[in-house]
Amino acid sequence: MARWKDGRESRAARFEEPDYAALLDSVRGIRWPARSAVRGGIPGAHTSRMRGSSAEFTEYRPYRQGDDLRRIDWKLFARSDRAYIRLSNDRAILPTTIVLDASASMAFPLPSLGKWSLAAQAAIGLAAVARNSADPVGLVIARASEIVQIPPRTRQSVINEMVRAISETNPSGDHPITPAIDAAARMSGRIVLITDFLGDSEDLLASASRAVVAGKEIHALHVLAPEEIDPPRETVLVSDPERTDIRRPLTPEARDSYLAAFSAWRERTAHDWSESGVLYSVAIVGDEAPDHLVRRIAAPRGVAATA
Amino acid sequence: MMFLAPGFFFASLVVAAAVVALHFIVTRQPRAGVLPTARFVPNLPANATARATRPSDLLLMLLRVLVVLAAGAALAKPIVKPSRSAEARVILMDVSRSVSDSSALRDSVRGLYRNHDAVVMFDSSARVVAGNAVDSIRTAGFTRVRGNLSAALVAAMRAGSSLRDRADSIELVIVSPFAAEELDEATDSVRSLWKGRARLVNVRGSADSLRGSTALEITTTANDPLQITALKSRDLPGATGMIVRSGLVDPANASDRALIQWPAAERPRFAVERSVRDTIGGVIAGDALVVAAFERRWSYPEDSIRGSEVVARWIDGQPAALETATATGCVRSVAVPVAPVGDLVIRRDFVRFVAALAGDCASRTAMRTADAQAVARLAGSGGLASRDAFRPRGDIRSDLAPWLLGIAIAAAIAELFVRRRKTADATALKEGNVPEKRAA
């Protein structure tokens, strides 16, 4: 059973910055292929929906009037006396934006801030993996005072910028993160949403669904703390850090009701997000190493798995 | 140490245990903590009942337990159990008018008295001397009222009950001149309640100085009808006085007999004339009742009754004759008219009435010694009374009870102050946003 941390203890005194350098080392070499063919554009590592004349042959197509004569396979024409166009797949980049929830509920459990630490490491790790694939990566942090945006870039220093932005962020407040995902959807073809879904989850789901319909690849990483899944058995008057009006006694008798309600909510959330086409994953603090989490999320699935 | 009503103490033990148990069951606002998923916790009242491993308000609990136990012990009447000796005495000390030599009686009682014995002083009533009786014996005051051994024996039974825890056997000692007037018809039956013999210590009474009695005399005129009655009354026992029907009476002539001033027409001694004469249907003196119509002319004012003894009363309760003691005898004033006509003077009841009026003075009556058989019955036979012959007393006073009650009240007041201070502290803590609050 998880140990309960005293909420009044100084957070700054006990929170330790994750070792990003070790994480970046451990995720080096991991590739993160797109789940489906990406739109054409700047040549990159992902299969593009565009078919062009690259060296990677795909198929022949009979010549139609208007086709470029230079794409006719003359050798085949000589053998078969028929004109065919040689087709090949295009490769393109996939701009990726990490949307990080920096609400007060992510600053849990105190004082280690396990949820925030895991979310930050997942964000940096996934950004590094995307960057390894030569994709532009950006970051949107939905925090109380403002929405911090780092537009998707391919340059090497973008990871450092992201680390700095995350380090400067102190998760607090109960601001919505829907605007953050909307902003990310305008910039990127792949969005990674890292949150605990305890904020504006309905609006967030609607916004993510729209993005999926628009052809975006949306990843949702649900961050959970063990203390939330298995709260202490002693009687504690628990309060919601985002909603001060919620202050309830978690007694041994109320614990079963809590576990049932929380489990049902998790199942419903996973179902709803998966149904909407979002690639939903759960990350529990302390359950696995951050680089394993990154590998799990970046593992080829769908089209990429068969490419 | 023992309790007279142990049920109260056992009940207080149960209540005290309940108080302690309640102090381990506390209602408190539990420790506060942060949980982002608090919205999934059922919305219940913030106070929760919990079992504490040890009571936090130990002082309050101790005070409450002290209140309950002290009050219970006070109601249970704790007494210190005395050590039991082989024998104790109940000494009946006669302080009535029958005693002529009071110092001899005091010496006798003082010689008999041992520590923790019970002394009962009696005249017409009896009282048990509490505490150290030596001083009471030395300063005992002798009264001019008739002694009553029946009342003394009843008090002796009560004193015996108080001694039953201190001795295996209890001896009854009666120090008295044993005058006849001290015994009545209830004496034998009351004496039989004491299951053992009694030691009788006979001190010299007034009866020892009694001389022989003279016959009733009357000084009157020739045709006074009361002469006939006086003559008939001479035959009755006890009629020894001298009736004076006319002229002044010199108390010095009373000698050791009753001098009865019974004027035929003049105002009786101490009497005043009534504003309105009336007629009354009867008069009584001692056991002699006369039912006849008497015209009342005289009455005795309250001042005259003071210092005198009423020896005859009208049937409405007003005094009809008074007796005033003199140095050697007594003077009686009679305000009963004797009609010159009618058969009153020869009626048997009136004869007895006159004999009663002419009886010995009260002081002489007290001097007459009881007959030997009555005294022997008083002494009884057999051994000493066993402690089991006496019922345990229900009115034993507990000296500790008031102190325990005081302790209980003091503890209750202290509990009130401690509770108030604790409530104030809890309020301050709450305002200071300290989460835990004791609300037991």
Side-chain angles (χ1 to χ4, degrees):
Chain A
M1 189 178 67
R3 283 192 60 189
W4 195 258
K5 302 294 184 184
D6 189 348
R8 286 172 291 169
E9 201 168 337
S10 167
R11 188 177 64 197
R14 299 283 297 274
F15 176 63
E16 291 179 4
E17 283 287 332
D19 186 358
Y20 293 116
L23 174 66
L24 293 175
D25 275 348
S26 60
V27 300
R28 183 168 296 141
I30 300 174
R31 294 292 180 266
W32 189 5
R35 297 294 186 264
S36 58
V38 299
R39 285 183 180 177
I42 302 171
H46 307 284
T47 306
S48 170
R49 293 178 196 164
M50 302 293 288
R51 297 190 186 274
S53 55
S54 69
E56 190 176 340
F57 170 74
T58 305
E59 61 181 339
Y60 288 111
R61 176 172 64 75
Y63 171 79
R64 291 195 294 260
Q65 191 173 2
D67 286 341
D68 187 356
L69 290 176
R70 289 175 296 182
R71 295 174 64 189
I72 293 174
D73 189 335
W74 293 109
K75 290 180 180 176
L76 183 62
F77 178 76
R79 285 198 298 270
S80 62
D81 201 19
R82 289 178 183 168
Y84 287 94
I85 299 296
R86 183 186 177 91
L87 297 178
S88 61
N89 282 345
D90 262 0
R91 291 282 174 172
I93 58 167
L94 179 60
T96 301
T97 298
I98 313 292
V99 177
L100 194 53
D101 177 8
S103 64
S105 61
M106 292 295 285
F108 182 82
L110 294 174
S112 64
L113 306 190
K115 284 169 72 174
W116 175 247
S117 177
L118 179 62
Q121 291 178 83
I124 296 300
L126 288 170
V129 168
R131 173 67 189 76
N132 289 344
S133 303
D135 291 330
V137 288
L139 176 69
V140 178
I141 301 176
R143 64 186 188 193
S145 54
E146 58 186 337
I147 292 178
V148 176
Q149 282 191 41
I150 298 176
R153 290 173 186 148
T154 52
R155 63 188 178 204
Q156 192 67 40
S157 62
V158 71
I159 300 298
N160 291 336
E161 289 176 33
M162 291 171 69
V163 168
R164 195 179 308 116
I166 289 172
S167 300
E168 290 171 354
T169 299
N170 185 21
S172 61
D174 60 344
H175 47 275
I177 55 175
T178 305
I181 199 168
D182 288 341
R186 285 193 293 272
M187 298 185 291
S188 307
R190 178 160 62 190
I191 300 165
V192 182
L193 173 63
I194 304 175
T195 179
D196 55 9
F197 294 102
L198 293 173
D200 51 340
S201 57
E202 289 183 4
D203 292 344
L204 198 61
L205 178 59
S207 190
S209 299
R210 284 195 299 273
V212 169
V213 169
K216 311 286 184 186
E217 181 181 318
I218 309 291
H219 293 258
L221 182 59
H222 190 169
V223 181
L224 294 167
E227 289 84 351
E228 294 170 335
I229 298 169
D230 184 16
R233 293 181 186 278
E234 63 181 282
T235 300
V236 181
L237 184 64
V238 293
S239 56
D240 191 327
E242 294 183 12
R243 292 174 59 183
T244 53
D245 58 315
I246 295 179
R247 189 175 165 85
R248 297 170 184 174
L250 180 59
T251 61
E253 294 77 20
R255 192 172 178 278
D256 292 340
S257 300
Y258 165 81
L259 292 178
F262 186 49
S263 175
W265 175 79
R266 290 203 319 267
E267 286 176 12
R268 193 169 60 250
T269 302
H271 175 265
D272 291 349
W273 282 78
S274 299
E275 282 291 301
S276 65
V278 174
L279 299 163
Y280 176 86
S281 305
V282 174
I284 299 172
V285 176
D287 256 18
E288 59 186 329
D291 58 314
H292 289 176
L293 173 64
V294 171
R295 285 176 201 278
R296 180 157 62 86
I297 294 170
R301 285 184 284 188
V303 174
T306 56
Chain B
M1 172 80 75
M2 60 177 287
F3 293 107
L4 296 177
F8 283 105
F9 186 69
F10 293 135
S12 72
L13 284 178
V14 172
V15 174
V19 168
V20 172
L22 284 174
H23 272 259
F24 278 90
I25 301 170
V26 296
T27 303
R28 65 173 66 196
Q29 201 171 67
R31 193 165 60 82
V34 174
L35 184 66
T37 51
R39 69 194 68 175
F40 300 107
V41 177
N43 195 4
L44 298 172
N47 285 331
T49 301
R51 279 193 302 276
T53 53
R54 63 184 295 260
S56 58
D57 45 4
L58 197 61
L59 178 62
L60 207 57
M61 187 193 77
L62 289 176
L63 282 172
R64 286 170 178 168
V65 168
L66 181 63
V67 168
V68 172
L69 288 183
L75 291 173
K77 295 184 181 175
I79 56 168
V80 179
K81 200 170 184 177
S83 58
R84 195 185 301 168
S85 60
E87 181 197 317
R89 285 176 185 158
V90 176
I91 303 170
L92 302 188
M93 180 180 179
D94 192 344
V95 294
S96 71
R97 66 187 180 187
S98 302
V99 179
S100 63
D101 191 350
S102 56
S103 58
L105 189 135
R106 282 195 196 100
D107 292 341
S108 298
V109 173
R110 213 167 351 182
L112 290 164
Y113 179 76
R114 298 169 306 190
N115 202 17
H116 299 309
D117 285 347
V119 175
V120 177
M121 294 183 178
F122 73 95
D123 43 18
S124 61
S125 61
R127 53 213 166 270
V128 179
V129 177
N132 188 2
V134 175
D135 291 339
S136 300
I137 294 167
R138 195 178 65 239
T139 59
F142 288 79
T143 63
R144 294 183 61 81
V145 295
R146 201 185 80 170
N148 188 338
L149 269 168
S150 298
L153 288 169
V154 170
M157 294 296 298
R158 204 162 58 240
S161 293
S162 67
L163 290 179
R164 73 184 297 277
D165 293 327
R166 296 183 188 164
D168 294 327
S169 302
I170 301 169
E171 181 182 21
L172 177 63
V173 181
I174 307 174
V175 184
S176 169
F178 299 101
E181 67 167 4
E182 293 182 311
L183 278 72
D184 54 27
E185 292 179 0
T187 304
D188 286 341
S189 56
V190 176
R191 171 63 184 84
S192 66
L193 297 175
W194 187 281
K195 308 292 184 191
R197 69 163 191 266
R199 192 205 303 190
L200 306 185
V201 179
N202 200 336
V203 294
R204 197 164 71 88
S206 305
D208 298 341
S209 60
L210 276 181
R211 291 192 295 271
S213 301
T214 54
L216 174 62
E217 294 177 49
I218 185 166
T219 306
T220 183
T221 54
N223 54 354
D224 186 2
L226 195 60
Q227 275 186 320
I228 301 167
T229 314
L231 284 171
K232 293 175 79 66
S233 299
R234 280 184 178 179
D235 300 334
L236 297 177
T240 58
M242 175 184 235
I243 299 173
V244 180
R245 290 286 282 171
S246 61
L248 291 173
V249 171
D250 183 4
N253 296 335
S255 183
D256 54 357
R257 69 197 299 195
L259 194 59
I260 303 133
Q261 192 218 6
W262 194 339
E266 295 91 3
R267 181 177 64 87
R269 195 170 181 235
F270 303 130
V272 294
E273 188 162 8
R274 288 173 177 270
S275 55
V276 178
R277 296 185 185 185
D278 63 351
T279 303
I280 188 83
V283 67
I284 186 169
D287 296 333
L289 170 65
V290 179
V291 178
F294 295 97
E295 185 189 29
R296 288 195 294 190
R297 184 182 172 189
W298 313 104
S299 67
Y300 292 100
E302 286 189 12
D303 288 346
S304 62
I305 299 171
R306 202 169 295 130
S308 303
E309 191 173 340
V310 178
V311 291
R313 287 185 185 275
W314 300 109
I315 56 171
D316 64 354
Q318 292 189 27
L322 296 183
E323 176 184 309
T324 308
T326 63
T328 54
C330 64
V331 175
R332 288 182 183 144
S333 168
V334 181
V336 178
V338 181
V341 294
D343 62 346
L344 177 68
V345 293
I346 58 170
R347 275 167 52 181
R348 185 183 296 275
D349 53 354
F350 191 69
V351 171
R352 288 177 56 226
F353 176 77
V354 172
L357 279 180
D360 281 340
C361 295
S363 56
R364 283 179 63 86
T365 307
M367 295 171 190
R368 195 175 299 125
T369 310
D371 64 80
Q373 285 185 343
V375 174
R377 285 199 300 275
L378 209 54
S381 60
L384 300 180
S386 165
R387 63 182 291 272
D388 298 327
F390 301 94
R391 284 196 301 182
R393 282 184 62 185
D395 60 339
I396 300 175
R397 280 179 51 191
S398 168
D399 295 334
L400 289 172
W403 291 101
L404 289 168
L405 210 56
I407 290 171
I409 292 169
I413 293 169
E415 190 267 352
L416 184 70
F417 280 107
V418 171
R419 182 152 44 89
R420 279 189 177 177
R421 196 181 64 188
K422 212 162 183 57
T423 306
D425 290 349
T427 308
L429 288 173
K430 195 176 179 183
E431 286 171 356
N433 205 19
V434 175
E436 198 160 310
K437 186 188 76 128
R438 176 68 186 265

